[in-house]
Amino acid sequence: MQSKLPHIGTSIFTVMSQLAVKHNAINLGQGFPDFPMSAELIECVNQAMKDGGNQYAHSNGVPVLREALAEKIHYLYNSQINPETEITITPGGTYALYTAFTTIIQPGDEVIIFEPAYDSYIPNIIINGGVVVPIALNFPNYTIPWDKVKAAITPKTKAILVNTPHNPTGTVMSPEDVLVLQEIVLSNNLYLISDEVYEHLIYDDKPHETVLKYPALYKRTFIIYSFGKTYHCTGWKLGYCIAPEHLSKEFRKVHQFNVFSCDTPKQLGIANYMRNKEAYLTLGNFYQSKRDYLRSLLKDTPLTPIPSSGSYFESYSYASISNESDKLFAEKLVTDYGIATIPMSAFYHDGTDHKVIRLCFAKENKTLEAAAACLQKINL
Ligand code: PMP
Ligand code: GLN
């Protein structure tokens, strides 16, 4: 059979997690919390099952969940979203991204992405017959080089993908960034996919610059979300896409013949639990203290943080102690020091290697302490 993705291998998250299991290593690689999710939310889902919410949901998502999301968006961003026509519940953010790409890409269309990039973007574009136009973020602060973006626009450019807060670097877009982005998108009639799965994981009093605050830009945008990040349940694989009616209509055509509908009890349970605003309003402080705790634990190691302002990741440079490739370095950390991380080069199409690894701090403090104890022993 001819492969549709001949140059794509196994996801780095799978590779590093498997390696962690094999060597019984602490896993600060793949991004997921190691602490329990809310028992109350589990109870809400149990209750929904007991109440008989066990058949197919509406293809666009159960109405009470879409209504709860519209209310939340109004409360947080003062933005009016129609739950009937603009919100579609999906089996996770990754699926929502794939569906958005499939909705807009025609063969030969160019899509601009920024690297380092979350690993599903490139295969999603390729499998839909699109052409990836990767632009490297400035190193080491990982800001967006807007002059390069403007220079990369061609008559074939169809879309841009942005991600704020950003995985893997933890950078967040400023209002100035979004204004430039808006100008580029609107003046070139592009579409935007805005990956905002870490909307609540944002630190140092920075506001989340969601596209929802920019009505003209929103008209050309698919915004991607994940309940997994917000409610500490990455294994539930539930998320949603918000897009204006004309875009949601096309998105839903793809969606209805792919998964059709998502897990009913979880949607009902989350809709009920969402009344508890504290659950998402406290997330920023909760994760900021974990970021700071890990940073303080690693102060006496040869690793230098490249500051993160969002997501549950922070990058660390090891350039002061080693010249070896980040893949080799990360492998050694697992086999010799008992700790799994992610080598940053995995997020570049050409393997750009700045001697940086990504650490996930969504962990119990005792896990972070154990990880730091491993990293303190680094002696290459
Ligand atoms: N986008 C980014 C930037 C992510 O880090 C993730 C988490 N894996 C996703 C999308 C996908 O979220 P989900 O787990 O809901 O598919
Ligand atoms: N979002 C997570 C990360 O970046 C994991 C995603 C996955 O395993 N596919 O680590």
Side-chain angles (χ1 to χ4, degrees):
M1 194 200 63
Q2 195 186 344
S3 171
K4 286 194 145 188
L5 294 170
H7 306 296
I8 303 291
T10 305
S11 156
I12 189 69
F13 307 123
T14 307
V15 170
M16 293 313 291
S17 280
Q18 276 179 351
L19 212 55
V21 170
K22 184 171 163 202
H23 294 276
N24 203 15
I26 297 165
N27 192 351
L28 299 196
Q30 190 179 23
F32 62 90
D34 74 342
F35 41 81
M37 63 172 297
S38 154
E40 199 190 324
L41 174 50
I42 291 174
E43 192 42 48
C44 289
V45 175
N46 277 339
Q47 195 56 50
M49 286 193 271
K50 286 179 196 158
D51 291 346
N54 300 304
Q55 306 308 328
Y56 291 130
H58 189 293
S59 177
N60 302 333
V62 300
V64 282
L65 179 55
R66 285 185 279 137
E67 281 153 22
L69 287 168
E71 258 176 60
K72 173 183 171 185
I73 286 157
H74 184 252
Y75 168 73
L76 285 178
Y77 307 121
N78 201 23
S79 170
Q80 293 284 358
I81 292 297
N82 185 337
E84 274 274 302
T85 54
E86 295 175 87
I87 303 177
T88 310
I89 308 298
T90 63
T94 310
Y95 169 101
L97 285 161
Y98 186 92
T99 307
F101 282 124
T102 305
T103 303
I104 54 179
I105 294 175
Q106 300 287 348
D109 282 349
E110 294 174 2
V111 181
I112 294 175
I113 64 160
F114 299 102
E115 287 188 325
Y118 180 58
D119 76 338
S120 75
Y121 304 151
I122 287 181
N124 281 189
I125 295 166
I126 294 172
I127 207 163
N128 279 295
V131 177
V132 181
V133 180
I135 294 181
L137 295 173
N138 297 315
F139 184 79
N141 57 6
Y142 295 119
T143 50
I144 299 177
W146 288 112
D147 49 337
K148 290 192 183 146
V149 180
K150 289 178 188 162
I153 307 279
T154 76
K156 290 198 161 172
T157 310
K158 187 63 156 292
I160 301 182
L161 183 139
V162 293
N163 171 214
T164 186
H166 185 256
N167 179 8
T169 67
T171 52
V172 303
M173 284 176 72
S174 66
E176 293 73 32
D177 284 321
V178 186
L179 288 173
V180 181
L181 173 67
Q182 173 166 268
E183 204 277 314
I184 294 172
V185 168
L186 297 186
S187 62
N188 294 286
N189 281 328
L190 308 180
Y191 293 103
L192 178 67
I193 299 179
S194 183
D195 182 341
E196 302 186 15
V197 299
Y198 297 104
E199 69 174 322
H200 300 299
L201 281 64
I202 184 157
Y203 315 128
D204 310 320
D205 295 322
K206 296 204 166 134
H208 172 49
E209 245 10 79
T210 172
V211 172
L212 291 169
K213 293 185 191 165
Y214 299 80
L217 182 58
Y218 170 65
K219 284 206 173 75
R220 304 197 61 86
T221 304
F222 299 82
I223 314 178
I224 309 298
Y225 299 87
S226 168
F227 290 114
K229 317 292 175 193
T230 304
Y231 296 121
H232 311 310
C233 53
T234 60
W236 282 17
K237 294 303 296 188
L238 207 60
Y240 51 106
C241 172
I242 297 188
E245 182 171 353
H246 66 288
L247 299 183
S248 287
K249 203 170 140 207
E250 294 303 314
F251 182 97
R252 289 169 173 185
K253 286 185 195 171
V254 179
H255 164 75
Q256 75 174 339
F257 294 121
N258 193 359
V259 71
F260 183 73
S261 64
C262 303
D263 185 303
T264 305
K266 292 199 181 94
Q267 292 188 62
L268 291 169
I270 291 174
N272 194 5
Y273 183 71
M274 273 181 64
R275 289 171 228 233
N276 171 9
K277 291 192 176 63
E278 286 303 295
Y280 56 83
L281 292 178
T282 52
L283 266 187
N285 281 342
F286 172 76
Y287 275 124
Q288 181 171 323
S289 58
K290 294 221 171 272
R291 177 201 64 177
D292 293 346
Y293 190 47
L294 181 62
R295 236 188 240 173
S296 71
L297 289 169
L298 296 185
K299 231 175 47 221
D300 300 327
T301 70
L303 299 175
T304 315
I306 303 179
S308 160
S309 307
S311 81
Y312 41 47
F313 305 110
E314 187 149 70
S315 305
Y316 284 79
S317 164
Y318 62 87
S320 69
I321 39 158
S322 167
N323 231 337
E324 66 195 348
S325 76
D326 64 357
K327 284 199 166 133
L328 252 181
F329 185 78
E331 240 176 75
K332 229 185 229 179
L333 286 185
V334 183
T335 54
D336 300 2
Y337 296 92
I339 174 154
T341 63
I342 303 283
M344 201 65 127
S345 65
F347 301 113
Y348 288 88
H349 73 286
D350 59 358
T352 295
D353 181 358
H354 292 295
K355 317 293 172 210
V356 173
I357 51 172
R358 186 195 80 173
L359 305 187
C360 172
F361 52 78
K363 305 292 169 190
E364 302 265 21
N365 285 357
K366 63 175 192 296
T367 310
L368 298 177
E369 287 154 15
C374 296
L375 291 167
Q376 269 148 10
K377 292 189 196 126
I378 296 180
N379 176 18
L380 294 154

